[in-house]
Amino acid sequence: MLGLTTAAPMAQTSDLVSKTALRVCADPANFPMSSKDGSGYENKLAELVAAKLELPVQYTWYPMATGFIRNTLKAKKCDVVMAYAQGHELVLNTNHYLTSVYTLIVPTDGDLAAVRALDDPALEGRRIGIIAGTPPAAHMARNGLIGQAQSYNLFVDRRHESPGTDMLNDLAKGQIDAAILWGPMGGPLVKTDYPQFTVIPLIHEKLPPKLFYRITMGVRQGEKVWQRKLNSIIRRNQSEINSLLAEAGVPQVSDLGTEMKEVSN
């Protein structure tokens, strides 16, 4: 009986993944990453993976906030999250397909355009936008930049509030002097809507916390067969994935976050 009891869940696990569609868990209002209208680059990544599997894409929409994994992937309503930070215990990570980094965003024609690191004296006394609780805040504090910082909320329902866009709008209006955003958000937003800004990847910060992260696809814990299938797709199509991300404006860095990755798009 013990043998049967342990074997049954293992067999069932592989059956949880749909054979008729690529079922994607996604935020409906998380542009430039994912969007219900299909315009996000994660939507395009899902289409690429689905094409390799010869399946249609099917979405389960839920805000990327507290309860996202519990109410989507763990509830077995969908089978993959297209972008998830490597090493998070809530999901089983595939191999990473992207390494990106936080960025400093400034007006291209302004006096901060030559800044490359947060210890640059040119940033002293400047009003810098920062998403509360994100790793760059520790670097700002170390360099005496927090006192004048403008904080924006981290955990929001993007259907009603968009801190990244709000920050860049404030930069455009001159209410702040610079903005710090996660590259996969800031880079595409600037490319799409803010051509007057320059995106500076923060690859020269030497002290912790790190500002670069490896991004994977996330699947349910225990679904190793599904994980391996996605790993194979990533491995065989990495150059196409790189080009898709570059076209979107996502900054891509080396696996150790020390230099930019040259990608043609």
Side-chain angles (χ1 to χ4, degrees):
M1 290 297 293
L2 181 59
L4 292 174
T5 302
T6 55
M10 290 177 67
Q12 184 182 13
T13 298
S14 62
D15 293 337
L16 296 178
V17 178
S18 172
K19 303 295 193 298
T20 60
L22 176 66
R23 301 193 306 166
V24 177
C25 322
D27 188 322
N30 200 29
F31 186 83
M33 284 78 78
S34 63
S35 178
K36 201 166 188 176
D37 65 7
S39 60
Y41 62 81
E42 289 178 17
N43 299 100
K44 295 177 174 60
L45 179 59
E47 291 166 9
L48 187 157
V49 172
K52 304 305 178 184
L53 292 167
E54 299 183 342
L55 294 173
V57 179
Q58 178 183 312
Y59 284 100
T60 292
W61 302 110
Y62 197 89
M64 183 67 76
T66 303
F68 174 79
I69 294 297
R70 182 178 69 251
N71 290 290
T72 58
L73 193 66
K74 283 192 172 182
K76 305 178 182 60
K77 296 178 180 178
C78 43
D79 301 317
V80 62
V81 181
M82 297 312 300
Y84 218 83
Q86 188 180 65
H88 203 295
E89 63 183 14
L90 285 179
V91 304
L92 177 63
N93 297 104
T94 65
N95 294 338
H96 69 282
Y97 61 84
L98 165 68
T99 304
S100 195
V101 67
Y102 277 90
T103 60
L104 178 71
I105 301 172
V106 299
T108 301
D109 60 358
D111 61 353
L112 298 181
V115 170
R116 291 296 176 268
L118 296 179
D119 61 358
D120 192 311
L123 293 174
E124 293 178 7
R126 300 302 184 99
R127 297 163 298 170
I128 303 174
I130 182 73
I131 302 294
T134 56
H139 293 265
M140 290 180 65
R142 183 185 299 120
N143 290 293
L145 303 175
I146 284 292
Q148 298 294 321
Q150 173 65 49
S151 181
Y152 297 79
N153 292 331
L154 173 60
F155 296 107
V156 299
D157 185 336
R158 289 285 301 277
R159 294 172 299 181
H160 308 293
E161 186 177 351
S162 184
T165 300
D166 291 345
M167 190 187 301
L168 294 179
N169 286 340
D170 287 348
L171 181 59
K173 291 182 287 189
Q175 294 180 359
I176 57 176
D177 301 308
I180 296 179
L181 280 173
W182 172 231
M185 173 179 283
L189 284 176
V190 168
K191 182 170 184 177
T192 302
D193 297 318
Y194 303 90
Q196 73 273 36
F197 295 156
T198 291
V199 179
I200 304 166
L202 293 171
I203 59 175
H204 300 297
E205 307 302 320
K206 304 301 183 186
L207 298 174
K210 68 175 185 178
L211 297 185
F212 69 94
Y213 293 89
R214 297 170 185 172
I215 302 303
T216 74
M217 299 175 198
V219 303
R220 274 181 293 276
Q221 292 287 355
E223 295 191 337
K224 302 290 290 184
V225 172
W226 178 222
Q227 178 201 41
R228 287 194 293 271
K229 181 176 286 189
L230 290 173
N231 282 343
S232 177
I233 290 174
I234 292 169
R235 183 179 63 257
R236 289 184 282 110
N237 299 280
Q238 186 66 67
S239 61
E240 192 172 352
I241 294 171
N242 291 347
S243 296
L244 182 157
L245 295 170
E247 175 63 27
V250 177
Q252 299 177 63
V253 301
S254 63
D255 283 352
L256 295 179
T258 55
E259 58 187 7
M260 298 304 297
K261 188 175 183 178
E262 294 299 326
V263 180
S264 58
N265 58 10

